[in-house]
Amino acid sequence: MLRRSILAPVLISLLAACSPGGGSGASFVNTDITGASYGKDFRLTDHAGAARSLADYRGKVVTLFFGYVQCPDVCPTNLLNMVEVMKQLGPDADKVQVLFMTIDPERDTQALLAEYVPAFDPRFIGLHADLPTTQAVAKDFKVFYQKQGDVKGTAYTVDHSTGTYVFDPQGRLRLYVKHGEKPDLIAADIRKLIAGQ
């Protein structure tokens, strides 16, 4: 599952460099994809059943990770990492919304997401959609995912992109965070976005 995570940041960087206005001029540790022409918005349902889009979180820095509940390693590690990021942000954590979108809508029901995602932090929100919408949103965010193993049954795993997208309080896509980045470095970049950089 991790083999694609090495190439993803490089590809994202190249895409950002080719985008009009790519790069914000601010100094970030993580990959600056300001001005990227993809990942503008989404229309999904949260784990409480409410319709959600980026506009619902205007005024907050938003982090968006694509994963699935039965993921054995990358997904829980990412969520635990974000728990630590929130701790490091202290009072500024109230200005951040962590989102987890499932790329496994066939197994990840709303009820399962409602149990899984907030278990890491009650402020975290799980998002889901039907299969066509999931595919469309993943494509729009240039997220790769593919079932492996028992693809005709329910015991499959899913290879998937492992990075996190970060939006500023105005809802603009700004950063790509590679899997395994240190929480203090993520928190430092988030603080800059909160401050308006």
Side-chain angles (χ1 to χ4, degrees):
M1 187 184 303
L2 291 175
R3 63 182 182 271
R4 289 178 172 82
S5 64
I6 298 170
L7 291 176
V10 176
L11 294 173
I12 293 290
S13 298
L14 290 173
L15 288 166
C18 294
S19 301
S24 64
S27 176
F28 295 108
V29 174
N30 292 282
T31 305
D32 186 344
I33 54 173
T34 301
S37 59
Y38 54 91
K40 300 287 187 184
D41 202 357
F42 54 75
R43 296 285 186 278
L44 301 166
T45 303
D46 73 16
H47 66 244
R52 294 293 185 183
S53 70
L54 270 174
D56 294 313
Y57 309 108
R58 193 63 52 89
K60 290 188 173 186
V61 170
V62 173
T63 72
L64 175 62
F65 179 80
F66 292 79
Y68 68 111
V69 170
Q70 296 187 48
C71 178
D73 44 29
V74 171
C75 302
T77 300
N78 175 277
L79 287 166
L80 287 170
N81 209 34
M82 290 310 300
V83 168
E84 183 58 33
V85 169
M86 296 292 268
K87 286 179 182 176
Q88 296 207 16
L89 286 170
D92 281 340
D94 292 335
K95 301 172 184 174
V96 177
Q97 181 59 65
V98 175
L99 302 177
F100 176 95
M101 180 188 168
T102 180
I103 40 87
D104 187 16
E106 295 161 291
R107 294 185 299 187
D108 291 351
T109 62
Q110 180 179 313
L112 186 57
L113 286 168
E115 180 181 345
Y116 179 76
V117 179
F120 291 90
D121 185 308
R123 296 168 292 188
F124 292 5
I125 294 176
L127 299 171
H128 67 99
D130 59 23
L131 187 58
T133 302
T134 299
Q135 292 169 338
V137 172
K139 182 178 180 182
D140 186 48
F141 278 86
K142 302 189 181 298
V143 169
F144 166 88
Y145 70 97
Q146 183 176 352
K147 291 181 182 179
Q148 298 292 339
D150 180 21
V151 296
K152 294 184 179 179
T154 59
Y156 56 84
T157 58
V158 185
D159 279 356
H160 63 94
S161 304
T162 60
T164 297
Y165 294 98
V166 184
F167 299 81
D168 66 20
Q170 289 74 46
R172 298 173 299 193
L173 182 56
R174 298 293 302 277
L175 300 174
Y176 179 86
V177 179
K178 69 181 185 301
H179 177 69
E181 182 62 273
K182 294 179 180 178
D184 60 321
L185 299 181
I186 299 173
D189 278 352
I190 287 176
R191 284 195 185 94
K192 291 177 182 178
L193 292 176
I194 291 172
Q197 293 188 36

